Amino acid sequence: MTAQLQAVEAFRAFAEKTTGQPASVGLLSTGESIAVQVVTGSREFTSLDLANRRAVLSLDVLSKFKEQEQAYGFLCGIANACDTARLGAPVVNAEARSEPLFVGTDGDYWIYSLSVSLRVMI
């Protein structure tokens, strides 16, 4: 398993523990859910001796709940916890890049999105 896959799984588990709600990697389910998606990534750093390399993954965390307060609140909790998260190797850190944003509604469900930068040693 690559460092990037390990990092995404660590962040998914962190989101699940932080919110107390099941979280998946991929698309939102048809019901209430939290999903983590990898949007893009880039190389951030390579040491001169090539021994240390770091990538940055841009994650989109989506929250879909019938109660607007829950959809927004769960993502606020994740954003607030990112600053002090100790996700462990290979994750260097997780940084919320924005406050939760309203995406839209899907029937009776409210959908919010949170952008997160995940730095990973590769």
Side-chain angles (χ1 to χ4, degrees), residues 75-84 96 99:
L75 294 186
C76 285
I78 292 170
N80 294 344
C82 279
D83 296 335
T84 57
E99 288 298 310

Side-chain angles (χ1 to χ4, degrees), residues 11 13-19 73-87 93-96 99 114 116:
F11 188 83
F14 160 76
E16 193 168 274
K17 183 178 179 184
T18 301
T19 63
F74 286 139
L75 294 186
C76 285
I78 292 170
N80 294 344
C82 279
D83 296 335
T84 57
R86 296 180 188 265
L87 298 171
N93 70 340
E95 179 184 3
E99 288 298 310
L114 174 69
V116 174

